[in-house]
């Protein structure tokens, strides 16, 4: 589907056609995004806000239009609820800091889950250390789904926030967000959703989800690196203490005191990535022109195709086998009961032009729970097709034969 829109995909690696199956780490970029960056730098580059001159006004208008585009894309009520950040990690660190400073006291509790990426663990851990709060973790059941009975048991009068991945970057499985959010809200507890792995693979509607915060990185949805968003309900954002001080985020500054800007600028200190925001919005327009529903259907059917093919290879163990996945499949290969190191599989696939990722995927606690030091992970995007999967499967079989 639309491979021709992505220039890098025509590249050869070691003389072989590139098969790129590392999209959960980052996606490749369409010509529409490359053109947008080129256009932004050649047509209106100028620092935004405050400028009286023409270029600055155009750049400002484009940046704010991009914010509205992102707000519409995820169903936010208003553009004020969209804070531009550097990416998911930056968004989650920002939230952990701001929420911690504003609402957390000694003995309060934060809940995360066993499948979280390090960037939805460590910022909360750091905040809990600073505030003498307690980090609690929803355990997994044997089938690798979250134990939601145990989750309900973890919710207490001291719980202040639940932060949870929509889709696991290791297993590809979805969390039951409507249940998790519903239970938290019955107790007036805020919920943050890490949508890094879901935003490119399913419709995100923060209104329907009713989450209080949501974070994702633009680079995971065919858009530029170095930009992402933190969505927050106005109710919460208005109360939060800002994260960084500097230009843009202030109303008035004196040496004695500073008053802060209105939303969302209160959280955007310094020159924002206005080239990135423009290209991000143009990429979202491109994706809409391809058709989001078609993209999601295509990926779901490709994921099932890939899982079926993998299942038929002797010695392959798929994690969360048979469960619905959003673009990610993790597995390991065993030879007569002995684990073949995922790194060796990854290396041999690379030599055949197939890019996959191996290791703990920045989710060390989860891989430890799986009882391994890492997995091989393939992850899909709109431009992958059955031919890519067939080449990967052939390459994997060849790699296994060499390693046996
Ligand atoms: N959360 C999840 C679930 C992820 O998969 C990732 C990226 N692998 C992140 C957070 C962090 O994203 P970034 O590195 O773009 O900040």
């Amino acid at each position: 589907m639309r491979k021709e829109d992505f220039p890098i995909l025509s590249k050869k690696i070691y003389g072989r056609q590139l098969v790129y199956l590392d999209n959960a780490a980052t996606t490749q970029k369409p010509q529409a995004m490359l053109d947008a960056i080129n256009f932004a730098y050649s047509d209106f580059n100028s620092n935004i806000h405050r400028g009286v001159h023409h270029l600055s006004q155009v750049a400002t208008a484009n940046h704010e239009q991009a914010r509205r585009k992102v707000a519409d894309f995820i169903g936010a009520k208003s553009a004020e609820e969209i804070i531009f950040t550097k990416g998911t990690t930056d968004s989650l660190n920002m939230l952990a800091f701001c929420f911690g400073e504003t609402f957390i006291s000694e003995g309060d509790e934060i809940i995360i889950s066993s499948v979280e990426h390090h960037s939805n663990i460590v910022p909360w851990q750091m905040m809990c250390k600073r505030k003498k709060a307690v980090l609690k973790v929803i355990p997994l059941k044997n089938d690798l789904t979250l134990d939601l009975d145990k989750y309900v048991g973890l919710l207490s009068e001291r719980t202040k926030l639940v932060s949870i991945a929509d889709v696991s970057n290791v297993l590809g499985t979805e969390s039951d967000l409507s249940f998790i959010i519903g239970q938290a809200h019955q107790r007036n507890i805020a919920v943050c959703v890490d949508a890094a792995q879901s935003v490119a693979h399913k419709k995100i509607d923060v209104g329907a989800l009713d989450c209080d915060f949501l974070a994702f990185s633009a680079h995971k949805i065919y858009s530029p690196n170095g930009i992402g968003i933190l969505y927050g309900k106005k109710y919460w954002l208005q109360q939060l203490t800002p994260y960084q001080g500097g230009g843009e985020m202030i109303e008035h500054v004196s040496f004695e005191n500073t008053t802060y800007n209105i939303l969302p600028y209160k959280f955007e200190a310094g020159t924002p990535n206005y080239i990135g925001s423009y290209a991000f919005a143009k990429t979202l327009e491109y994706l809409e022109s391809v058709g989001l529903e078609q993209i999601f259907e295509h990926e779901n059917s490709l994921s099932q195709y890939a899982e079926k093919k993998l299942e038929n290879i002797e010695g392959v163990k798929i994690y969360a086998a048979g469960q619905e996945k959003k673009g990610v499949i993790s597995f390991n290969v065993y030879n007569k009961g002995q684990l073949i190191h995922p790194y060796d599989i990854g290396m041999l696939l690379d030599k055949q032009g197939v890019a996959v990722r191996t290791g703990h995927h920045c989710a060390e606690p989860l891989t430890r729970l799986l009882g391994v030091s890492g997995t091989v992970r393939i992850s899909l995007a709109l431009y992958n097709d059955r031919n890519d999967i067939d080449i990967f499967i052939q390459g994997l079989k060849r790699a296994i034969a060499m390693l046996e």
Side-chain angles (χ1 to χ4, degrees), residues 39 55 64 66 110 118 131 143 164 185 193 196 320 333 356 383 400:
F39 179 78
L55 286 185
E64 293 310 327
I110 303 287
H118 295 162
K131 292 284 167 183
D143 66 356
I164 213 95
H185 281 180
V193 174
V333 184
V356 301
Y383 37 70
I400 294 171

Side-chain angles (χ1 to χ4, degrees), residues 142-383:
N142 287 340
D143 66 356
L144 303 181
T145 59
L146 296 182
D147 190 332
L148 294 177
D149 293 334
K150 295 256 169 64
Y151 162 62
V152 174
L154 289 178
L155 293 165
S156 82
E157 286 190 349
R158 297 308 303 263
T159 312
K160 291 290 186 299
L161 182 136
V162 178
S163 191
I164 213 95
D166 186 359
V167 168
S168 156
N169 69 312
V170 176
L171 303 173
T173 47
E174 286 175 87
S175 306
D176 186 348
L177 287 182
S178 82
F179 180 83
I180 289 170
I181 294 170
Q183 289 292 319
H185 281 180
Q186 277 175 25
R187 297 161 177 84
N188 295 320
I189 298 165
V191 181
C192 169
V193 174
D194 173 355
Q197 285 306 334
S198 55
V199 66
H201 306 291
K202 60 185 264 201
K203 174 80 191 138
I204 301 285
D205 183 341
V206 291
L209 267 180
D210 198 26
C211 57
D212 301 280
F213 303 98
L214 181 133
F216 68 86
S217 308
H219 73 92
K220 307 254 192 210
I221 178 164
Y222 314 101
S223 300
N225 279 22
I227 187 162
I229 64 128
L230 176 65
Y231 156 84
K233 280 183 184 163
K234 204 167 158 181
Y235 165 81
W236 289 109
L237 293 181
Q238 275 172 335
Q239 298 179 68
L240 292 182
T241 303
Y243 178 47
Q244 290 187 315
E248 288 293 327
M249 55 77 70
I250 54 91
E251 180 192 39
H252 291 295
V253 179
S254 71
F255 287 121
E256 290 73 38
N257 194 34
T258 293
T259 52
Y260 302 130
N261 206 339
I262 53 169
L263 290 179
Y265 312 110
K266 178 171 89 167
F267 297 101
E268 294 182 354
T271 299
N273 186 355
Y274 55 87
I275 303 283
S277 66
Y278 177 77
F280 183 13
K282 289 290 165 201
T283 311
L284 295 180
E285 282 172 20
Y286 161 80
L287 292 172
E288 284 165 347
S289 78
V290 176
L292 291 167
E293 279 309 317
Q294 282 93 316
I295 294 173
F296 303 155
E297 266 171 39
H298 169 73
E299 289 173 345
N300 284 339
S301 114
L302 198 58
S303 168
Q304 286 166 19
Y305 179 77
E307 188 161 341
K308 279 244 148 55
K309 291 256 165 177
L310 270 173
E311 259 168 29
N312 291 332
I313 302 179
E314 205 190 316
V316 167
K317 177 185 166 65
I318 300 167
Y319 297 96
Q323 292 176 38
E324 195 181 325
K325 301 186 179 62
K326 293 285 170 210
V328 166
I329 304 175
S330 265
F331 64 94
N332 265 311
V333 184
Y334 290 83
N335 175 29
K336 300 189 188 84
Q338 284 286 337
L339 175 72
I340 300 180
H341 201 289
Y343 179 80
D344 294 336
I345 303 267
M347 284 263 292
L348 290 174
L349 281 169
D350 176 54
K351 293 288 178 285
Q352 302 174 74
V354 182
V356 301
R357 192 147 292 245
T358 63
H360 56 53
H361 316 295
C362 296
E364 232 185 299
L366 173 57
T367 37
R368 209 168 290 133
L369 285 172
L370 299 178
V372 288
S373 63
T375 70
V376 186
R377 179 183 77 180
I378 60 164
S379 49
L380 308 174
L382 71 93
Y383 37 70

